[in-house]
Amino acid sequence: MAEPDVKNGPEDVAEKLSKLTMGDSKVEADDDDFVDPWSVASKSATGIDYNKLIKKFGSSKIDDELVTRIEKITGKPAHHLLKRGVFFSHREMHGILNKVEQGKPFFLYTGRGPSSNSMHLGHLIPFVFTKWLQETFDVPLVIQMTDDEKFLWKDLKLDVAQKMAIDNVKDIIACGFDKEKTFIFKDTEYIGQSPAFYQNMLRVQKCVTFNQVRGIFGFGDSSNIGKIAFPSIQASPSFSSSFPQIFEGKKDIPCLIPCAIDQDPYFRMTRDVAPRLKYPKPALIHSTFFPALQGAQTKMSASDPLSSIFLTDTPNQIKNKINKYAFSGGGATLEEHQKNGGNCDVDIPYQYLTFFLEDDERLAQIKEDYSSGKMMTGEIKKTLIEVLQPIVKKHQERRKMITDDEIKEFMRPRKLKYDYSTKK
Ligand code: TRP
């Protein structure tokens, strides 16, 4: 997920809201939320109003019918992030499912802007879900590391951004992707290796005017020209022709992009140009943001260490951060809590459990006990600590085992294990 350029917190919401543009339409001044690829902020304690966002962006809500259809087609139970509405919005997911029913192929594309050496818990979410999609649909996956993006946006030297990309690749591999079906690439490297990718960038660039990207991304007269061209780089992996080594030169394999909703502007632009290039429009499946420890008004951000639980944190750091900083929806006093119960809608420990505690029954019990005041703030925090510590520890153990050769193999342009001859 993109890290904000600017300070990211409720205090500068007003400023952001005042200059908010999305697409060509200015959003009303009374809007409470701000979302773009670089920052997320909401005035409300419960965070972004995602139903409103769906309307504003013009995407579709993931409803029970879609979840049931996915279960029916795959024959597998839906992932908890899907069932619980963390992945809440989509564009043309039904089109992808139609292809699957017809025995036709598709591929997955996701990415990461490497902006810090160590990733945090929120960064895991799209990758955990993408891994499930890859396993469930058994399809190839491309992962774009946008070291170029971070170089252009941040005060970072190019070699530092490139190194961060590799550090982040380790965390991504540690999520358990299938080496035979996954190609991870760094922009500063792959674009030099792949004429096909560069040619698609050019095609996209020719279709989009400065006026359009200014409208979509808010670029201005003082934006460096790298930023202005960058959307074409994030758009191009949506097209199978950018990876001739994987798709045997096929230009019409449709793509599904799991991403956090803040990345949608890039892909609205991509979907807009695709028909003009005679390529299929990418389908999308969007997640909500992972809230900061301090509360749902903003997302977890690696540039604000106190807002984040990092994948490098020790069990003790995890415990201390949660106990000290996790915003509580509990009552102010013991008596008040017992009388009125806790508010799960704003309680960060509860929110985090919805992302990481897979056991549906246990989660429902916690919700009941906490809301009724039977479970105390200290207890829900303790539960979260006990859930997160082993997840982070196991991640660290898997990450430690990843060798340089393995990274090289994931990042080598090559054919993936996928048999197109069985697919029409
Ligand atoms: N811009 C994204 C970020 O800053 C990285 C990215 C590139 C991405 N391609 C993507 C994210 C596709 C999701 C899907 O993190």
Coordinates of all heavy atoms in Angstrom, one line a residue, residues 54 65 140 146-147 159 171 187 213 231 239 264 318 350 357 385 394 396 401 406:
I54 N -17.8 3.1 -2.2 CA -18.2 2.3 -3.3 C -19.0 3.2 -4.3 O -18.8 3.2 -5.5 CB -19.0 1.1 -2.8 CG1 -18.1 0.1 -2.2 CG2 -19.9 0.5 -4.0 CD1 -18.9 -1.1 -1.6
E65 N -24.3 -13.0 -2.3 CA -24.5 -13.8 -3.5 C -23.1 -14.0 -4.2 O -22.9 -15.1 -4.6 CB -25.4 -13.0 -4.4 CG -25.9 -13.7 -5.6 CD -26.5 -12.8 -6.7 OE1 -27.0 -11.7 -6.3 OE2 -26.3 -13.1 -7.9
P140 N -1.6 -18.4 -12.4 CA -0.3 -17.6 -12.2 C -0.6 -16.3 -11.6 O -1.7 -15.7 -11.7 CB 0.2 -17.5 -13.7 CG -0.9 -18.0 -14.6 CD -2.0 -18.6 -13.8
T146 N 7.2 -1.6 -6.9 CA 7.4 -0.3 -7.5 C 8.5 0.5 -6.8 O 8.2 1.5 -6.1 CB 6.0 0.4 -7.5 OG1 5.5 0.4 -6.2 CG2 5.0 -0.2 -8.4
D147 N 9.7 0.1 -6.9 CA 10.8 0.8 -6.3 C 10.9 2.2 -7.0 O 11.3 3.2 -6.4 CB 12.1 0.0 -6.4 CG 12.5 -0.5 -7.7 OD1 11.6 -0.4 -8.7 OD2 13.6 -1.1 -7.9
D159 N 19.2 3.5 -5.1 CA 19.7 2.2 -4.7 C 19.1 1.8 -3.3 O 18.9 0.6 -3.1 CB 21.3 2.2 -4.6 CG 21.8 3.3 -3.6 OD1 21.1 4.3 -3.4 OD2 22.9 3.1 -3.1
D171 N 9.6 -10.7 2.6 CA 8.4 -10.8 3.4 C 7.3 -11.4 2.5 O 6.4 -12.1 3.0 CB 8.0 -9.4 3.9 CG 8.8 -9.0 5.1 OD1 8.8 -9.8 6.1 OD2 9.6 -8.1 5.0
D187 N 10.4 -3.0 -10.8 CA 10.3 -2.1 -12.0 C 11.6 -1.7 -12.6 O 11.8 -1.8 -13.8 CB 9.5 -0.9 -11.7 CG 8.0 -1.1 -11.6 OD1 7.5 -2.2 -12.0 OD2 7.3 -0.3 -11.0
V213 N -4.6 12.7 -15.8 CA -3.9 12.2 -14.5 C -4.0 13.3 -13.5 O -4.0 13.0 -12.3 CB -2.4 11.8 -14.7 CG1 -2.4 10.4 -15.4 CG2 -1.6 12.8 -15.4
P231 N 1.7 6.3 -13.5 CA 0.5 5.5 -13.7 C 0.5 4.5 -14.8 O 0.0 3.4 -14.7 CB -0.6 6.5 -13.8 CG -0.1 7.7 -13.1 CD 1.4 7.7 -13.4
F239 N -2.0 -6.3 -18.3 CA -2.1 -6.8 -19.6 C -1.2 -8.0 -19.8 O 0.0 -7.9 -19.6 CB -1.8 -5.7 -20.6 CG -2.6 -4.5 -20.4 CD1 -2.0 -3.2 -20.4 CD2 -4.0 -4.5 -20.2 CE1 -2.8 -2.1 -20.2 CE2 -4.8 -3.4 -20.0 CZ -4.1 -2.1 -20.0
D264 N -7.3 2.0 -6.4 CA -8.3 1.9 -7.4 C -8.1 3.0 -8.5 O -8.4 2.7 -9.7 CB -9.7 2.0 -6.8 CG -10.8 1.8 -7.9 OD1 -10.9 0.7 -8.4 OD2 -11.5 2.7 -8.2
I318 N 5.3 -6.4 20.6 CA 3.9 -6.5 20.1 C 3.0 -6.3 21.4 O 2.0 -5.5 21.3 CB 3.7 -7.9 19.5 CG1 4.4 -8.1 18.2 CG2 2.2 -8.2 19.3 CD1 4.4 -9.4 17.6
Y350 N -10.4 -5.5 18.8 CA -11.4 -6.3 18.1 C -11.3 -6.2 16.6 O -11.4 -7.2 15.9 CB -12.9 -5.8 18.5 CG -13.9 -6.6 17.8 CD1 -14.2 -7.9 18.2 CD2 -14.5 -6.1 16.6 CE1 -15.0 -8.7 17.4 CE2 -15.4 -6.9 15.9 CZ -15.7 -8.2 16.3 OH -16.5 -9.0 15.6
L357 N -7.9 -13.4 13.5 CA -8.4 -14.6 14.2 C -9.4 -15.3 13.3 O -10.5 -14.9 12.9 CB -9.2 -14.2 15.5 CG -9.8 -15.3 16.3 CD1 -8.8 -16.3 16.8 CD2 -10.6 -14.8 17.4
I385 N -3.0 -10.1 21.6 CA -1.5 -10.4 21.7 C -1.2 -11.9 21.5 O -0.3 -12.2 20.7 CB -1.0 -9.9 23.1 CG1 -1.1 -8.4 23.2 CG2 0.4 -10.4 23.4 CD1 -1.1 -7.9 24.7
K394 N 6.0 -16.9 13.4 CA 6.1 -17.9 12.3 C 6.6 -17.2 11.0 O 7.3 -17.7 10.2 CB 4.8 -18.6 12.1 CG 4.6 -19.7 13.0 CD 3.3 -20.5 12.7 CE 2.8 -21.2 14.0 NZ 1.4 -21.1 14.2
Q396 N 8.5 -14.6 10.8 CA 9.9 -14.3 10.9 C 10.7 -15.6 10.7 O 11.8 -15.6 10.0 CB 10.3 -13.8 12.3 CG 9.7 -12.4 12.5 CD 9.8 -11.9 14.0 OE1 10.1 -12.7 14.9 NE2 9.4 -10.7 14.2
M401 N 14.4 -18.4 6.5 CA 14.8 -19.5 5.7 C 15.0 -19.2 4.2 O 15.5 -20.0 3.5 CB 13.7 -20.6 5.8 CG 13.4 -21.1 7.2 SD 14.8 -21.9 7.9 CE 14.9 -23.4 6.9
E406 N 16.6 -18.4 -3.8 CA 15.2 -18.4 -4.0 C 14.6 -17.1 -4.5 O 13.7 -17.1 -5.3 CB 14.6 -18.8 -2.6 CG 13.3 -19.6 -2.7 CD 12.9 -20.1 -1.3 OE1 13.7 -20.0 -0.3 OE2 11.7 -20.5 -1.2

